[in-house]
């Protein structure tokens, strides 16, 4: 890491105590690590809100016995093939499958793809994990 700069932060005691509890729970090494992470998180959210080029992972859980459901999930992914970096399928048990789709592209299109996959009738749960291409920070 180059050019580290130290700066002071003034906080109410209660807020700092709560923050110290939180960073202990989250296993941060020190306050600086925790603050850096929070700052980067804000920039990631900003990138997503601005419609920037980003990366993410969409997870969906569904019952593979519902055959048409699998077809719809595959059709939707083909529609967005230009943004899909990889997808991984795991058989959770006799009925349930977990599919994780790694995506890279404009945030608004990723959100649309995620919404479409999560809205497929029969999908039990879906989640979008947002992150960054890491170029800006
Ligand atoms: Ni499966």
């Amino acid at each position: 890491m180059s050019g580290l700069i130290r700066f002071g932060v003034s906080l109410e005691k209660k807020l700092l105590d709560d923050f110290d509890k939180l960073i202990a729970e989250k296993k941060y090494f020190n306050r600086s690590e925790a603050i850096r992470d929070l700052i980067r998180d804000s920039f990631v959210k900003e990138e997503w809100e601005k419609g920037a080029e980003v990366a993410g992972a969409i997870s969906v859980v569904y019952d593979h016995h519902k055959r048409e459901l699998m077809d719809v999930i595959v059709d939707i992914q083909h529609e967005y093939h230009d943004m899909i970096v990889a997808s991984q399928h795991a058989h959770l048990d006799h009925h349930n499958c977990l599919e994780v789709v790694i995506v890279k592209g404009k945030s608004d299109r990723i959100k649309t793809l995620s919404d479409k996959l999560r809205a497929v009738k029969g999908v039990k749960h879906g989640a979008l994990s947002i992150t960054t291409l890491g170029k800006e920070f």
Side-chain angles (χ1 to χ4, degrees):
M1 210 176 291
S2 63
L4 275 183
I5 293 169
R6 283 177 179 274
F7 66 99
V9 179
S10 305
L11 290 179
E12 292 84 3
K13 186 177 181 326
K14 165 93 172 69
L15 189 59
L16 185 59
D17 289 346
D18 289 348
F19 187 59
D20 283 341
K21 267 185 232 155
L22 182 81
I23 66 180
E25 279 167 20
K26 295 204 178 267
K27 314 292 181 208
Y28 283 108
F29 185 64
N30 56 36
R31 287 178 186 154
S32 294
E33 280 297 326
I35 290 169
R36 274 196 285 271
D37 227 24
L38 286 172
I39 292 172
R40 289 197 188 105
D41 253 5
S42 307
F43 284 130
V44 168
K45 282 186 190 125
E46 178 82 1
E47 281 186 334
W48 277 77
E49 280 161 18
K50 280 193 309 198
E53 198 83 18
V54 291
I58 304 162
S59 312
V60 281
V61 173
Y62 58 89
D63 183 343
H64 76 99
H65 289 116
K66 295 175 181 164
R67 293 284 163 191
E68 309 99 63
L69 186 151
M70 284 185 74
D71 286 347
V72 176
I73 285 175
V74 171
D75 285 349
I76 294 170
Q77 289 188 55
H78 276 273
E79 208 182 306
Y80 289 85
H81 66 90
D82 55 306
M83 307 195 312
I84 295 178
V85 179
S87 66
Q88 177 96 53
H89 184 104
H91 313 300
L92 295 175
D93 58 30
H94 187 69
H95 298 281
N96 295 297
C97 299
L98 165 64
E99 195 145 321
V100 180
V101 184
I102 299 171
V103 286
K104 185 176 133 182
K106 295 274 183 197
S107 61
D108 47 350
R109 282 191 77 221
I110 293 177
K111 281 182 202 151
T112 306
L113 170 59
S114 171
D115 289 345
K116 283 187 179 181
L117 289 172
R118 292 163 73 176
V120 173
K121 199 166 175 263
V123 167
K124 295 180 177 181
H125 184 252
L128 169 64
S129 166
I130 67 168
T131 188
T132 175
L133 294 175
K135 290 178 184 169
E136 298 297 320
F137 40 88

